Amino acid sequence: MTGAVLGRRRSTPGVGAAGGPRRRAGAVLGALLAAPAVLAGCGADEQPAVPVGGPGVEASIGDVELRNIRLDNPPAGIYEVGSAALLGVAMVNGGTEDDQLVGVSGPDFTGVVVDEGDITTNPSVTIPAGETVFTDGPEGPVVVLAQIDETLRSAESLPVTFTFERAGEVTVDAPVSAPLRLSLDRWLREQAAEPD
């Protein structure tokens, strides 16, 4: 049928042939959980048609790519003035020479703490040629923004400037991550509120 508009059938929540919001939410959650297994079957030499990644932002400067830049979700849903936030980023050095992260700065925080050291604006983190360094993984350095001077909630952002010895400088708006549970709960509530 050309030009036909397909609508949803209205049903009582939790009842009906379609199963209602509860069954639909379960199916969607199941699909989300199965997606990594399905995607893992894609060939390693194939490039995805759309950018993939987490909730963070991406940037490039010289031979360095920054992926999934974000601040960890706040423990109580908000970063208060004076608090600290874990800075998550994957730094990919696509060059043939090592590079060094020599600066992390911004107008809304004092500096960074690397691996429980002192507050500094010069973190001195090496990114070896052809490798990726994660700032929030078990093997990489832990980088924390110190003394944030504004209140931040999930989905808000903070400008962060990364300075590399060879690649140069790039500034991004690093978003504050939302906890996965809160994101899923919000999405499920929105789906349940939509008219069928």
Side-chain angles (χ1 to χ4, degrees):
M1 291 180 134
T2 307
V5 177
L6 300 177
R8 290 190 188 162
R9 246 181 22 171
R10 203 168 204 32
S11 65
T12 306
V15 181
R22 286 187 189 145
R23 184 167 294 155
R24 183 175 46 208
V28 170
L29 185 56
L32 288 172
L33 293 174
V38 171
L39 293 175
C42 294
D45 57 344
E46 295 176 20
Q47 296 296 319
V50 295
V52 294
V57 297
E58 298 182 354
S60 277
I61 183 75
D63 288 330
V64 176
E65 289 182 33
L66 303 175
R67 298 180 184 163
N68 197 18
I69 306 163
R70 79 252 174 250
L71 303 178
D72 199 25
N73 60 60
I78 187 170
Y79 285 118
E80 298 289 349
V81 172
S83 62
L86 177 68
L87 175 64
V89 60
M91 297 179 286
V92 182
N93 184 350
T96 57
E97 297 183 51
D98 293 356
D99 207 339
Q100 185 91 11
L101 177 65
V102 295
V104 176
S105 59
D108 301 315
F109 58 95
T110 303
V112 295
V113 174
V114 179
D115 292 332
E116 300 181 17
D118 294 328
I119 295 176
T120 182
T121 56
N122 179 359
S124 191
V125 174
T126 300
I127 302 95
E131 293 189 25
T132 302
V133 173
F134 297 89
T135 63
D136 58 351
E139 296 179 19
V142 175
V143 179
V144 177
L145 301 185
Q147 300 174 355
I148 296 170
D149 68 2
E150 68 176 66
T151 301
L152 287 173
R153 298 180 193 296
S154 293
E156 294 181 335
S157 62
L158 195 67
V160 178
T161 299
F162 295 86
T163 306
F164 295 90
E165 188 173 73
R166 293 183 184 283
E169 182 177 282
V170 64
T171 299
V172 299
D173 288 327
V176 177
S177 298
L180 178 60
R181 178 175 167 81
L182 292 178
S183 299
L184 272 175
D185 287 348
R186 180 179 305 122
W187 184 83
L188 292 171
R189 280 194 307 272
E190 289 171 358
Q191 294 302 310
E194 285 183 9
D196 288 332

